[in-house]
Amino acid sequence: MASHRHPDRESTGTDPTPRTARPRRPWWRRLARFAGFAALGLLALVLVSTGLNFAVTQYERTITDPYGQRVAVDGGSVNVVDHTADGPTVVLLSGLGTPAPALDFAPLVRELDGYRVVVVEGFGYGYADMTGPERTVENVSQELHSALEAAGVEGPYVLAGHSLAGFYILDYVNRYPGEVSAVVGIDTTVPAFAAAQDHGPAAEGRGVPWDRLASSTGLVRWVLLAAPDLVLPETTAHTADEREQINRMTIWNFTNPAVTDETRRVGDNARRLDGVGFPSDLPVLMLLAQDTVDESPDWLASHEEQLQSVNDHELVVLDGGHYLHWTRSPEIAESITAFLDEHDVPAREEAKIETPASAG
């Protein structure tokens, strides 16, 4: 008889063992399972990074010498760094979010040799407290005034600042007339310019501090470890030690509560200063960055308009980026010295008002 091969049988000629087919999970369940494992892995990585970042930060603080003098003001303590000298007093204020203003301004401080240069680190900056009262222009001005008094810095002094410090300088010279002998702006922000950027009102309350996650989880640390020149340019203006400490303090102070609140209030503070100008008899020197002028069409015009009512003013555009004091400190110092000499801005000792007692 002829043999017939059953199509379901294997080539060995034996019958296959009956097996029950295992149902395959739907693709979306497999994807959900994979996503769950990935989320757990990411959470574990974040927790490890957060713990490691915290431990390294504590160690860094123990091996890094603090600078300056912490002084008490309403709401906490701020930091004042006083480079004492016999020449005129220049008070320096940093721009928004600068992690270590005293170190940031170091190249300019060195060029202002002979001046008494005072750098004030307000709430959220340098070695000041990282939390403080609401960051309104009124509070910042009052805190600055209290800090200078507590540190023994007497007026009149030259008030100089970078970027957003333009707000506080403008408020300060009107709030405390007679205490400032001249103003120097380093690519400062004009309130009218900022108000035109359509900043909304500051939200009530601080909410969840999402902005702080990049710092607390260690993300900022790992980014700066891979790219240390993100904070400062590759120049020789800052020493190696200054660069290292600025990077550390960027990690410590990044998006702290005070700076976060200040950032949210930019629009409000610009509107508070609507219509406020410099006193007409106050000498004002404005140093603008060519890069900012090129990038923002209204930047130069807004400063020219701000200076229209000032009798003694000068506006100079220097080649470079927004942080002019990183790359053009020699030119800035030369401009300041020439301007103060030209406008007969006296040293503090010469400018003291003679009282009846001293006159006798």
Side-chain angles (χ1 to χ4, degrees):
M1 295 179 62
S3 62
H4 298 278
R5 185 182 298 273
H6 195 283
D8 291 335
R9 294 179 182 176
E10 297 179 0
S11 59
T12 58
T14 59
D15 292 338
T17 303
R19 285 177 291 199
T20 302
R22 191 172 182 179
R24 188 174 177 83
R25 284 194 181 95
W27 66 268
W28 56 269
R29 284 193 176 181
R30 297 198 303 275
L31 181 60
R33 186 180 183 187
F34 174 79
F37 282 125
L40 288 175
L42 180 60
L43 177 61
L45 182 62
V46 169
L47 292 176
V48 170
S49 177
T50 301
L52 183 59
N53 178 63
F54 177 80
V56 174
T57 296
Q58 299 310 304
Y59 172 71
E60 287 174 341
R61 290 184 183 276
T62 63
I63 65 172
T64 304
D65 293 330
Y67 54 74
Q69 171 192 1
R70 281 171 55 86
V71 298
V73 298
D74 188 22
S77 295
V78 300
N79 196 48
V80 179
V81 183
D82 189 349
H83 302 271
T84 305
D86 294 331
T89 300
V90 177
V91 177
L92 286 175
L93 306 178
S94 72
L96 177 65
T98 302
L103 300 176
D104 187 79
F105 279 126
L108 180 56
V109 172
R110 284 189 281 270
E111 293 295 334
L112 290 171
D113 184 40
Y115 288 85
R116 181 188 184 185
V117 183
V118 181
V119 183
V120 180
E121 299 180 334
F123 289 112
Y125 295 84
Y127 278 99
D129 291 345
M130 294 294 105
T131 59
E134 293 179 343
R135 300 292 79 208
T136 62
V137 288
E138 296 91 343
N139 286 343
V140 174
S141 289
Q142 290 165 6
E143 292 155 8
L144 173 60
H145 188 258
S146 297
L148 292 174
E149 280 191 336
V153 181
E154 301 178 8
Y157 33 74
V158 178
L159 190 57
H162 171 244
S163 194
L164 193 64
F167 281 19
Y168 311 127
I169 290 174
L170 184 60
D171 183 81
Y172 193 91
V173 298
N174 284 281
R175 191 175 298 275
Y176 302 103
E179 297 203 10
V180 178
S181 57
V183 162
V184 177
I186 305 173
D187 218 31
T188 47
T189 307
V190 176
F193 177 89
Q197 305 308 303
D198 197 26
H199 293 280
E204 291 296 328
R206 307 221 173 176
V208 179
W210 299 111
D211 298 334
R212 190 67 176 153
L213 289 179
S215 178
S216 59
T217 59
L219 178 60
V220 176
R221 179 180 297 280
W222 313 135
V223 169
L224 289 181
L225 186 63
D229 293 325
L230 280 179
V231 178
L232 289 174
E234 294 185 25
T235 66
T236 58
H238 292 86
T239 67
D241 288 342
E242 288 167 352
R243 295 174 71 90
E244 181 180 0
Q245 190 165 355
I246 288 173
N247 273 357
R248 285 179 180 175
M249 297 183 73
T250 299
I251 296 166
W252 304 348
N253 297 345
F254 187 76
T255 58
N256 61 74
V259 168
T260 299
D261 186 58
E262 183 181 13
T263 304
R264 292 171 178 169
R265 293 182 185 277
V266 168
D268 285 351
N269 284 333
R271 287 182 284 274
R272 285 171 184 262
L273 292 168
D274 182 38
V276 177
F278 289 114
S280 60
D281 59 345
L282 181 67
V284 178
L285 169 63
M286 283 292 171
L287 304 166
L288 303 186
Q290 184 67 60
D291 289 0
T292 314
V293 171
D294 293 339
E295 294 165 4
S296 303
D298 296 330
W299 192 253
L300 178 60
S302 66
H303 286 84
E304 290 175 334
E305 183 177 354
Q306 186 183 46
L307 294 174
Q308 282 182 355
S309 61
V310 180
N311 297 330
D312 296 326
H313 71 266
E314 185 175 346
L315 193 153
V316 179
V317 180
L318 297 174
D319 287 336
H322 183 54
Y323 286 82
L324 280 173
H325 52 284
W326 291 355
T327 57
R328 292 290 180 266
S329 283
E331 292 88 341
I332 293 174
E334 290 175 6
S335 296
I336 290 174
T337 299
F339 182 79
L340 298 184
D341 288 345
E342 179 182 353
H343 294 279
D344 296 323
V345 176
R348 179 178 59 83
E349 290 78 6
E350 300 171 351
K352 283 184 177 178
I353 299 175
E354 191 175 48
T355 63
S358 62

